[in-house]
Amino acid sequence: MERIRGEQPSRRVRSGPGNVACRYASKKMGRVIQAESHTCELPAVILWEHNQEVYEFYDQCPKIRLSYVDSNGIRRGYNTAPDYFVIAENYIGWVECKTESWLHQKIKESNVFAYNTDQKWRCPPGEAFAAGYGLNFSVWVDTSVNQIFLANVKFLSDFLDVDAPAVAPQMEAEIYDAFEGANSILLKDLIGAFDGIRSGAIYKLIADGKLFFNWEADSIAEARFTRIFRDERVMAAYSRIAATPRTAGEKLPAIRSLILDVGQKLLWDGQPWEVVNAGTESVFIKPASGPILSMPLADIQSLISDGHISGELVASVDLADEVQRRLLSASASDMSTAIARMDILKALANGMPLKSVPERTLREWKRKQAIAERELGNGVVGLISRVKDRGNRERKISDEVIQLIDTVIDEHLVGESPKSISACYSILLALSDQMGIAGPSIKTFRAEINKKKTIGDRKQAVQGDKGAYQYSEFVHWRLDNAVPVHGQRAFDIAHVDHTQMDLQLVDSVFGKSMGKPWLSIMLDAHTRMVLAFVITYERPSYRTCMMLMRDCIQRHRRVPDTIVTDKGSEFEGGFWEILLACLKVSKKTRPSAKGRYGSVIERFFGVANQQFFHQLKGNNLPLQKPRSTSPTHDPRKTAVWTLQEIAVSFEDYIENTYSRLEHSRLGVSPREAFDHSLRVTGVRHMRMITESEELAILCLPDVRGGVRRIAHGRGIKIGANFYFNPMFREAALGNTKVPVKYDPFDLGYVYAKIGKEWIRCECPESAQLVGRSETEIQLISHEARAHQGAATQRDRGNRVVHGRNLLAVDAKERLLLHQKKAAEVRAAEDALGIVNLLEGSDKEPEEQANKAANPFDVKAGERFGELK
C-alpha cells in the first residue's frame, strides 16, 4: 500500500478510436486522477470524490501478476496494471472498471472474469492475488451506476465541496418561508420565488441535507419536474406512493376481454354470479339468490379490466398474440374501414335500412365479427381488412440460391478484397452456372444485399473505420444515461479548438500582406456561448491555450468544470495541464477521426465563416478555385483588414450578433440560454476566480529553453528587447541564468524568478505601449511577434539583396583594377617610345579587363540552338 501511495501512475492513459481519455482534478486527492473512459471509469472517480466513506483512490497502479487456468486446463498468467486502488471505510483493494458488454464477450474467451448467480461480476485471479495481502479485488461495471444519481452529484459537486460557504441563517429562513407552510414545492417555483437570486443558496441547502429530493429518481437539472421537500420522511413517503414510470423492457399489461356464453360463472365482489343471456349491447346476469340483473356490455368489460369481476369469463389476452399482430399491422385506412363497418352493423341492428351494402356482404361482416368476439374478445378485430395478407408469402427463390448469395456477399462484397455490386453479381451468375442452377435477377441480388448489409458495412470493407464513421450511430443509445452529452448547465463542459481564419490580413503600418491568422475558441457546450477567443499569427501551442484560459478568466471571473480537446500536441503540454489542475478543471481528450465528438465547436467555425469571415474583403473563398480567379481579385492583393480591426469586429460579432441569434438546437439565443442557466443553476460564487499577480504568472508560458542569462547593466534579452529590474544591479546576479515567463499578448514586461520570488521586468523600449488599452497592447504585441517570427525569412531576403550589391561592387573593383594596370602599361610604353604594331592592341587591356569583370559574356561565347 505504501508503494502504491508513493509512486506515480504506471502509465498515461490515451484516447483511442472508442474511448475518451479524461484527467480529473481531484481536490480530495490533491492530484490529477486519470480515467480511460468517460462512461465507465470517470463516473467511478466522481462518486469516490464525493463519497465521505472513500478516503483515497489511486489510478493506474503498479503492475501485478495474475494467474488463471484456461478452458483447456493450462495455467496461464499475465501482468496487468489495475485501474484503481481504493482505500475506503469498509474496503481496501484494487478495482477494475469494465463495461458489461465487454465482460460478456470476455467470458466467452477466457476465465479471467466470472458472473455469479447473485448477478455480480468477479475477477477470481485478482481476488486470489489480493487475498495474499489480506486485501480485496473487485470489478466495477458501468451498468451498476445509477445515471440519475451520478448526474445529480455532478450538478451539485460545487456545493458538495467542504470549502463551499454555508448559507446564512437569515437567508435559510427566507427560503423555508417560500414553502408557505407546504411540505414540498417544485424546484422551479422555489427558484422563481426569489427570481433566481437565491438559487445557489437553495442548492447548498440541498447539498448540506437541509432540503431534500429523491437523488436516485429525480434529476435536479430538471427544475420543472423536481419536487423539493422540507422533511426527509415526507420525501420518502411521497416517493413510495408516487407512480413510478415503467422501466425499459417491461411488458405492457394484458388486455382483459369478456367471452360471453350462457351458463358461465363469474365472481363479483366475492359473490357468485351466472350469465343468463349475453347480447351485443347488454348482458343479463343472475346472483345465487335474487332477481336477474341487466348491465350494459361496456360496463361489464370495464369492471373486468379493473379487476373487479373475475372468473371463467375473464380471458387474459397478451398483446403479443393475434390481437396485437392485427392491431399493430393495420394501417390507418384499415382501421377507418373497420370502424365504418362497425357503425353500419350497429345501424342495421337498430332497424335502419341499408341499401348501399349487399346483404351477402353484411352477413359476412356479422360472421367475422362474431368469430372475433368469441375467439379474441374483440369484434372490431374481425372487421379489419386482411386483403394485404392475401397471396403466396413463400420465397420464390430456393434456399440454395439464397445460400449462394450470402456466400458472395460475405466473401466478395465485404470480404478481404471488396468488389462492386455489379462485379459481385457477375461472380454470382458464374457460380450459379457452375452449379447448374438459375441465378437470380440483379434486383433480387440488390434486395438481399440491403437486407443483410448496411451502407456502413460496405464502406467499412472498402475504406475502413474512417469511411464507415459517417454511417455509424450518431449517439450511443443508452436509455439509462441521464447525463446530457453537452452538460447540464453553463460552464459545465466547454470545447477548445483552433482553426486558421479564412481571411487575409495586412500590416497596420505599411499595409504589407501578413497572411491568415489563427483563431482559438472556447465554446460552452450547453449554451453554445463563446467564453473566450484569441486571434494570433502564431501557430497554436500551449501558449495559445494558456492565453485562452486567461481571457476566459478576465471575461467571466470563472472557468469551465471540464475542457474537451482533440489530441493535438498543444493540449498535451505540461504547463497547460498544470494550469488546468490548479484551476480544478478536468480535461477530456476526444478520439481521433471521430468528428462528432467535436461537432459543437466545428459547427461554430462553419457558422462564423459563413456569417462573418466570408462576407469581408480579402476572404479566402476565391483561392478555393484559383484557376477561375483573376489576379486582380486575389485576396492576398485585395486584403484591407488588420489584426486590430478584425479582432475588434469579431468581438462585436460574437457579443452582439452571434450570441443574440436564435440557435436552431436551443430554440433561443446563446445569450438567453446562458443567462437562464446562470439564473436557474446558480452563479456559484465558490468557483469565482479573483485576478491576482500569482494567477497571471501561472497563466504565462516559459520562454524557449525556460531560462535566460542576466547581462550586467542591461538585463534579460528576449527577442530584440532587453528587460530590466533594479534587482539586477546586484553583483551576485550578473551573468547568472534565471527562469523567465513572458506574456505573448504584451511585450512590455516579463517575469524572472529570483530565488523563490517572481519579479516583474520592464522593457524601456516599450514606451509606445504607455496609455494604451489592454486590447491595443495585445494587438500591438501580436503584430510585433509576427514580425519577429518572420525575422529569419526577412534576414534571408535582406542577405540576398546585400549579396547582389556586393557582387556588383566586386565586379566594379576588378574593372577599375584592370583599367589601372592598363593605364600603367600605356604610360610605360609612351615613356620608352614603344609603338604597338598589332592592330587594336591599344584596346586589348580594356577588353581583357571587361572579360575578367564579366566572364559570362553571351556575345563572346559559342552560340547553341534553343533547348527543345
Side-chain angles (χ1 to χ4, degrees):
M1 286 176 58
E2 289 300 328
R3 178 190 171 196
I4 292 173
R5 298 176 69 191
E7 290 188 3
Q8 294 295 321
S10 59
R11 70 184 185 95
R12 181 183 176 92
V13 301
R14 302 287 182 181
S15 61
N19 72 298
V20 176
C22 310
R23 296 179 63 81
Y24 182 80
S26 172
K27 185 174 182 179
K28 176 182 287 187
M29 295 299 298
R31 61 191 293 180
V32 173
I33 301 297
Q34 300 182 105
E36 203 160 9
S37 169
H38 72 145
T39 58
C40 182
E41 295 184 4
L42 184 61
V45 172
I46 294 174
L47 294 179
W48 292 334
E49 175 76 11
H50 299 287
N51 189 345
Q52 295 181 357
E53 294 186 353
V54 176
Y55 304 126
E56 298 177 9
F57 49 94
Y58 302 89
D59 64 287
Q60 300 304 318
C61 310
K63 290 187 176 181
I64 61 177
R65 181 75 177 179
L66 299 185
S67 301
Y68 68 100
V69 179
D70 64 10
S71 56
N72 297 324
I74 302 175
R75 178 166 292 278
R76 301 183 181 276
Y78 67 99
N79 295 328
T80 182
D83 295 327
Y84 298 99
F85 187 85
V86 179
I87 301 176
E89 180 68 24
N90 298 315
Y91 182 93
I92 300 179
W94 292 270
V95 177
E96 194 74 21
C97 298
K98 301 296 180 183
T99 62
E100 189 167 23
S101 58
W102 184 89
L103 288 171
H104 280 296
Q105 181 65 29
K106 190 67 176 179
I107 60 176
K108 299 177 182 178
E109 304 170 358
S110 70
N111 298 328
V112 176
F113 296 94
Y115 191 62
N116 280 0
T117 55
D118 56 353
Q119 299 183 347
K120 289 186 178 180
W121 288 95
R122 297 174 49 246
C123 179
E127 293 174 356
F129 175 84
Y133 298 93
L135 301 176
N136 301 290
F137 196 105
S138 60
V139 180
W140 173 285
V141 186
D142 60 338
T143 55
S144 64
V145 181
N146 185 320
Q147 294 292 324
I148 297 178
F149 179 80
L150 174 64
N152 291 330
V153 170
K154 292 181 64 177
F155 186 91
L156 296 171
S157 59
D158 293 331
F159 304 99
L160 292 170
D161 194 335
V162 294
D163 294 335
V167 180
Q170 181 180 358
M171 190 181 301
E172 182 177 343
E174 292 177 359
I175 294 175
Y176 286 145
D177 292 341
F179 281 80
E180 297 181 350
N183 289 323
S184 66
I185 186 175
L186 288 175
L187 178 59
K188 174 181 69 67
D189 298 334
L190 184 58
I191 294 175
F194 302 97
D195 197 21
I197 300 176
R198 297 284 186 265
S199 56
I202 294 171
Y203 293 127
K204 179 57 179 174
L205 292 176
I206 294 174
D208 291 345
K210 297 180 179 180
L211 291 179
F212 306 92
F213 81 105
N214 193 335
W215 286 69
E216 298 183 352
D218 297 333
S219 174
I220 193 71
E222 295 290 341
R224 299 171 297 169
F225 310 110
T226 302
R227 186 167 291 276
I228 306 299
F229 298 86
R230 296 185 59 179
D231 188 271
E232 185 176 11
R233 293 171 298 178
V234 176
M235 185 268 295
Y238 180 85
S239 301
R240 284 196 298 268
I241 64 175
T244 56
R246 187 175 294 110
T247 59
E250 182 181 347
K251 295 184 66 175
L252 294 172
I255 295 178
R256 293 184 174 91
S257 58
L258 181 64
I259 300 178
L260 300 177
D261 200 0
V262 177
Q264 290 191 3
K265 309 294 183 180
L266 60 93
L267 193 66
W268 183 10
D269 196 20
Q271 300 297 324
W273 294 73
E274 180 182 355
V275 177
V276 178
N277 187 25
T280 58
E281 297 293 337
S282 300
V283 178
F284 295 87
I285 56 178
K286 178 184 177 183
S289 61
I292 297 176
L293 179 64
S294 173
M295 293 186 64
L297 177 62
D299 293 346
I300 291 288
Q301 290 177 337
S302 177
L303 291 171
I304 292 174
S305 298
D306 295 338
H308 296 297
I309 294 180
S310 60
E312 298 178 358
L313 298 182
V314 179
S316 294
V317 184
D318 199 326
L319 284 178
D321 64 3
E322 184 68 14
V323 174
Q324 180 192 25
R325 191 190 69 80
R326 293 191 188 184
L327 290 175
L328 297 182
S329 63
S331 63
S333 59
D334 292 339
M335 292 301 300
S336 299
T337 302
I339 294 173
R341 291 175 178 177
M342 177 66 73
D343 294 338
I344 292 175
L345 293 179
K346 287 183 178 180
L348 183 63
N350 294 332
M352 297 178 61
L354 296 172
K355 298 181 180 179
S356 58
V357 182
E359 185 177 352
R360 182 176 179 181
T361 302
L362 293 174
R363 289 198 304 269
E364 181 66 15
W365 288 356
K366 289 181 180 180
R367 187 184 68 82
K368 291 181 177 180
Q369 182 186 22
I371 293 175
E373 189 74 35
R374 182 175 63 253
E375 296 180 355
L376 302 177
N378 193 325
V380 179
V381 176
L383 298 177
I384 297 177
S385 175
R386 303 181 64 183
V387 175
K388 60 181 179 299
D389 296 331
R390 294 175 181 172
N392 184 7
R393 301 295 171 181
E394 300 294 331
R395 301 217 54 177
K396 306 301 187 296
I397 55 179
S398 63
D399 295 339
E400 190 177 18
V401 175
I402 294 176
Q403 185 176 359
L404 187 60
I405 292 176
D406 294 341
T407 302
V408 172
I409 291 175
D410 294 335
E411 295 182 0
H412 299 283
L413 184 67
V414 294
E416 294 183 359
S417 178
K419 300 174 179 59
S420 65
I421 294 180
S422 177
C424 290
Y425 180 66
S426 300
I427 294 174
L428 176 63
L429 293 182
L431 294 176
S432 301
D433 185 67
Q434 291 178 5
M435 299 175 63
I437 58 177
S441 65
I442 191 170
K443 181 178 179 181
T444 302
F445 182 59
R446 288 182 181 274
E448 288 297 313
I449 292 175
N450 294 332
K451 289 179 182 178
K452 294 177 171 60
K453 299 295 178 182
T454 64
I455 299 178
D457 296 333
R458 287 147 56 184
K459 288 288 184 180
Q460 173 77 28
V462 177
Q463 299 178 346
D465 294 336
K466 289 187 177 180
Y469 177 65
Q470 60 177 321
Y471 300 100
S472 62
E473 290 183 0
F474 195 79
V475 295
H476 297 290
W477 297 106
R478 285 189 55 183
L479 298 180
D480 64 333
N481 191 0
V483 182
V485 294
H486 298 312
Q488 305 177 87
R489 54 183 175 81
F491 290 104
D492 188 2
I493 298 175
H495 290 256
V496 174
D497 207 349
H498 322 277
T499 187
Q500 200 166 18
M501 289 168 50
D502 260 5
L503 187 68
Q504 299 287 336
L505 301 187
V506 296
D507 177 63
S508 62
V509 178
F510 303 105
K512 181 182 178 181
S513 177
M514 299 293 291
K516 298 189 298 182
W518 286 87
L519 171 65
S520 301
I521 290 292
M522 180 185 293
L523 187 73
D524 185 79
H526 184 72
T527 64
R528 310 300 199 272
M529 190 73 176
V530 176
L531 301 178
F533 75 92
V534 171
I535 301 178
T536 176
Y537 287 113
E538 183 183 8
R539 289 188 63 86
S541 65
Y542 74 94
R543 295 184 292 274
T544 309
C545 299
M546 296 173 76
M547 295 302 101
L548 194 65
M549 187 65 72
R550 190 176 72 167
D551 184 62
C552 181
I553 295 174
Q554 291 175 345
R555 291 175 182 270
H556 306 285
R557 295 296 185 268
R558 63 180 296 186
V559 293
D561 292 353
T562 302
I563 293 289
V564 180
T565 68
D566 58 21
K567 300 177 71 173
S569 59
E570 67 271 18
F571 299 118
E572 300 296 327
F575 295 109
W576 166 245
E577 293 196 344
I578 290 174
L579 176 62
L580 293 182
C582 292
L583 296 175
K584 296 192 294 184
V585 177
S586 301
K587 187 185 79 169
K588 291 185 178 181
T589 304
R590 62 181 194 245
S592 302
K594 302 286 185 179
R596 293 172 187 161
Y597 283 83
S599 59
V600 172
I601 196 166
E602 297 296 344
R603 176 56 182 155
F604 170 78
F605 286 144
V607 169
N609 279 332
Q610 181 182 8
Q611 293 183 350
F612 185 68
F613 295 121
H614 288 170
Q615 312 306 320
L616 304 179
K617 191 175 182 62
N619 71 79
N620 234 44
L621 280 179
L623 292 183
Q624 294 181 4
K625 297 180 180 179
R627 292 179 177 271
S628 60
T629 302
S630 302
T632 55
H633 289 70
D634 190 331
R636 291 167 292 192
K637 298 179 181 179
T638 60
V640 295
W641 286 89
T642 63
L643 183 67
Q644 178 176 354
E645 295 297 335
I646 195 61
V648 174
S649 298
F650 182 72
E651 183 171 17
D652 179 72
Y653 164 75
I654 290 297
E655 295 294 334
N656 301 320
T657 303
Y658 167 77
S659 63
R660 303 186 186 279
L661 295 177
E662 183 174 314
H663 196 280
S664 58
R665 175 65 178 84
L666 302 175
V668 295
S669 67
R671 170 62 66 183
E672 291 175 320
F674 185 78
D675 294 340
H676 174 77
S677 179
L678 292 181
R679 184 172 59 254
V680 174
T681 64
V683 179
R684 305 186 182 227
H685 297 283
M686 71 287 295
R687 296 286 295 184
M688 291 295 181
I689 300 174
T690 303
E691 281 194 276
S692 62
E693 190 173 22
E694 291 76 11
L695 178 62
I697 294 174
L698 184 64
C699 293
L700 297 181
D702 287 8
V703 296
R704 189 178 300 275
V707 297
R708 287 291 184 271
R709 189 182 302 276
I710 299 176
H712 184 71
R714 305 198 67 181
I716 296 172
K717 184 178 182 181
I718 299 178
N721 300 328
F722 279 92
Y723 297 84
F724 189 78
N725 185 281
M727 289 186 63
F728 293 165
R729 296 192 180 102
E730 297 181 10
L733 295 178
N735 205 33
T736 60
K737 291 184 177 180
V738 294
V740 177
K741 289 178 174 287
Y742 74 102
D743 187 348
F745 291 168
D746 191 347
L747 300 182
Y749 68 94
V750 297
Y751 282 94
K753 190 175 184 181
I754 306 299
K756 296 183 178 180
E757 181 182 359
W758 288 93
I759 63 172
R760 183 182 175 104
C761 307
E762 304 287 346
C763 177
E765 299 178 3
S766 62
Q768 58 171 329
L769 303 180
V770 177
R772 301 281 185 178
S773 66
E774 184 178 1
T775 302
E776 290 176 322
I777 292 175
Q778 289 181 3
L779 298 174
I780 292 173
S781 300
H782 270 312
E783 201 165 75
R785 282 186 56 80
H787 283 299
Q788 290 179 6
T792 303
Q793 187 67 25
R794 184 172 62 252
D795 182 67
R796 181 181 178 88
N798 292 342
R799 288 183 181 275
V800 170
V801 175
H802 187 205
R804 290 174 181 171
N805 176 259
L806 293 178
L807 287 175
V809 170
D810 186 64
K812 187 68 173 178
E813 285 180 348
R814 289 198 298 269
L815 176 61
L816 292 175
L817 180 61
H818 283 284
Q819 288 178 350
K820 184 176 182 180
K821 289 181 178 180
E824 291 295 329
V825 171
R826 198 177 293 114
E829 291 175 349
D830 292 342
L832 297 175
I834 299 176
V835 179
N836 193 342
L837 301 178
L838 297 176
E839 183 179 359
S841 61
D842 56 336
K843 298 182 179 179
E844 182 177 357
E846 184 176 356
E847 292 176 356
Q848 291 178 353
N850 290 333
K851 185 174 182 181
N854 188 11
F856 302 104
D857 188 1
V858 179
K859 296 182 180 180
E862 182 179 357
R863 292 185 176 273
F864 294 90
E866 183 180 356
L867 180 64
K868 301 296 184 180

